[in-house]
Amino acid sequence: MLPSLSFLPVGFLLIVAMGHTFQFQESDFLQFLGLDKVPSPRKFQSVPFILKKIFQDRETATTTGVSQDLCYMKELGVRGNVLRLLPDKGFFIYSNKVSQDDSCLRKLLYFNLSAIKEKEQLTMAQLGLDLGPNSYYNLEPELELALWVIQEPQVWGQSIPKPGKMFALQSVPWPQGALYFNLLDVVKDWNSKPQKNLGLFLEIVVRGDTEFAVNFQMEATCARLRPSFRASLLVVTLNPEQCHSASRKRRAAIPVPKASHKNLCRPHQLFINFQDLGWHKWIIAPKGFMANYCHGDCPLALTTYLNSSNYAFMQALMHAVDPEIPQAVCIPTKLSPISMLYQDNNDNVILRHYEDMVVDECGCG
């Protein structure tokens, strides 16, 4: 009898842990994780504070038994069970006439949305522009940041993309910290029509009198801004098929039947170490988890006690009458989720919550 799809993650990890790894099983598991192949990042991307906080909050709630909705990001105030940090794949546009046209920084911002699956619903898309640490003098020139959505493909030989309608215009007294912009409607449009995703055009200019700006070393300010500038897109999606329950109860301890027969159906401890699987190169956290597994006998006399269904009881009864009918087997009856923080082949840092990864209780079925 083939295992149900809901038990695939634990079943696969158990097979791997017992030394029977098969390529098609690994592919199935990676598909379950939303990956086409095993990621092989050259180096880990830095994990933003918000991703670390959400992951740690989930771990704490699981450990302490606090009820949690795995399909709601309370830290961000939106529904969702997958959080991705997409790095900027664009490029700077340089000009040799900075002091003449007052332009401090020009950049094409581009984010690859191909990792978002068709079934996922976008609930949040936040553009983050990090202008570097707040370490400049207040007397430096005031800057102005402008964003355009690019609506026409760049013409060959054209140094600056032809922007469409201006998306945002914001004054920046001096370079400091990060600025955030709601990009949900734009990203929804890109995701539904990938050919429209031509990126964003960003320009930071110096406001006020040019001579005043030069006197306060505008070029030095811009030169410091470029190497410290970082852009990223924080995307939250919801997969309805993976959100069956709005809350979770405390993870139960492994129950042991109050009977002298040590071979009765029950959970057994099994720790999955990602380093043993070679997955530590792309899984940032956790380093492993207690997955557990079910094993043991399902005798007719105790089938009802062993957390079993009525069908399992009838199957055990029929087996006693006709031995050709298979016995009820020991299977998971209650499972818990885990959260995983990992990096895919597109350098995206992903926080995802996976159902049915930990066996809490076993029964006969």
Side-chain angles (χ1 to χ4, degrees):
M1 182 177 179
L2 293 175
S4 66
L5 185 59
S6 62
F7 298 150
L8 173 62
V10 172
F12 165 75
L13 291 172
L14 174 59
I15 293 172
V16 172
M18 297 177 69
H20 301 290
T21 308
F22 297 98
Q23 185 176 0
F24 80 92
Q25 290 167 329
E26 184 176 50
S27 299
D28 289 343
F29 186 68
L30 290 172
Q31 186 177 7
F32 172 80
L33 296 181
L35 299 169
D36 298 325
K37 59 181 179 179
V38 177
S40 55
R42 287 169 291 182
K43 64 176 182 178
F44 276 134
Q45 299 289 332
S46 58
V47 181
F49 171 78
I50 186 63
L51 269 76
K52 290 181 180 178
K53 176 172 174 53
I54 296 175
F55 177 81
Q56 291 169 354
D57 288 350
R58 299 287 188 182
E59 290 287 283
T60 301
T62 298
T63 303
T64 58
V66 176
S67 178
Q68 55 181 322
D69 184 349
L70 293 176
C71 293
Y72 180 71
M73 303 276 185
K74 64 185 177 100
E75 295 83 356
L76 300 173
V78 296
R79 296 284 294 167
N81 62 332
V82 184
L83 192 155
R84 296 180 177 90
L85 185 75
L86 310 182
D88 171 32
K89 300 287 188 178
F91 53 86
F92 284 100
I93 299 171
Y94 294 97
S95 172
N96 296 324
K97 301 178 180 180
V98 175
S99 60
Q100 295 182 19
D101 60 13
D102 301 338
S103 178
C104 195
L105 179 150
R106 287 172 174 167
K107 194 175 193 303
L108 172 67
L109 306 179
Y110 181 80
F111 302 98
N112 186 351
L113 305 178
S114 62
I116 301 176
K117 305 302 179 183
E118 185 177 351
K119 295 180 181 179
E120 297 179 38
Q121 302 171 0
L122 278 158
T123 59
M124 178 178 177
Q126 184 184 74
L127 174 66
L129 303 178
D130 189 349
L131 304 182
N134 182 10
S135 59
Y136 305 144
Y137 295 105
N138 295 6
L139 296 177
E140 295 209 19
E142 184 172 339
L143 304 178
E144 187 174 76
L145 182 150
L147 272 172
W148 292 267
V149 178
I150 299 176
Q151 296 178 343
E152 295 183 21
Q154 186 173 0
V155 178
W156 176 257
Q158 181 179 313
S159 60
I160 301 176
K162 187 176 181 181
K165 185 178 180 181
M166 182 177 290
F167 175 75
L169 181 67
Q170 182 166 333
S171 174
V172 183
W174 59 87
Q176 55 175 325
L179 303 173
Y180 299 99
F181 301 90
N182 182 1
L183 218 65
L184 182 58
D185 291 338
V186 174
V187 173
K188 280 184 176 180
D189 190 34
W190 286 347
N191 195 49
S192 62
K193 301 174 183 176
Q195 69 276 9
K196 296 182 67 175
N197 182 9
L198 302 174
L200 304 169
F201 177 58
L202 167 70
E203 184 173 31
I204 298 178
V205 300
V206 177
R207 297 187 63 186
D209 182 69
T210 303
E211 286 299 321
F212 180 86
V214 172
N215 291 337
F216 283 92
Q217 301 178 335
M218 182 192 84
E219 293 189 26
T221 300
C222 298
R224 287 195 297 268
L225 178 61
R226 293 188 193 103
S228 61
F229 178 83
R230 297 290 184 275
S232 60
L233 184 66
L234 189 69
V235 177
V236 179
T237 61
L238 176 71
N239 188 334
E241 294 181 355
Q242 297 176 352
C243 293
H244 306 299
S245 175
S247 63
R248 284 281 174 178
K249 296 182 179 180
R250 181 173 182 174
R251 180 176 292 173
I254 296 178
V256 178
K258 298 179 181 179
S260 60
H261 200 314
K262 63 180 180 179
N263 293 325
L264 291 178
C265 173
R266 63 183 178 87
H268 297 261
Q269 291 188 345
L270 171 66
F271 182 78
I272 301 297
N273 189 328
F274 290 134
Q275 185 165 0
D276 292 341
L277 304 178
W279 293 351
H280 63 290
K281 298 176 182 178
W282 55 278
I283 295 179
I284 302 171
K287 303 302 181 183
F289 68 102
M290 190 67 73
N292 305 326
Y293 67 98
C294 294
H295 182 69
D297 299 331
C298 292
L300 173 60
L302 291 176
T303 299
T304 303
Y305 170 79
L306 293 175
N307 200 23
S308 306
S309 63
N310 291 335
Y311 176 82
F313 177 78
M314 296 303 299
Q315 183 178 353
L317 187 63
M318 291 304 298
H319 173 76
V321 177
D322 184 357
E324 292 188 3
I325 297 175
Q327 283 186 317
V329 295
C330 187
I331 59 173
T333 56
K334 181 181 178 183
L335 300 106
S336 295
I338 67 167
S339 296
M340 287 176 57
L341 190 62
Y342 61 91
Q343 190 169 321
D344 68 8
N345 283 304
N346 292 320
D347 294 328
N348 304 321
V349 178
I350 302 174
L351 174 63
R352 194 162 186 165
H353 310 301
Y354 293 102
E355 300 275 355
D356 303 333
M357 294 291 283
V358 175
V359 174
D360 292 328
E361 296 179 4
C362 301
C364 298

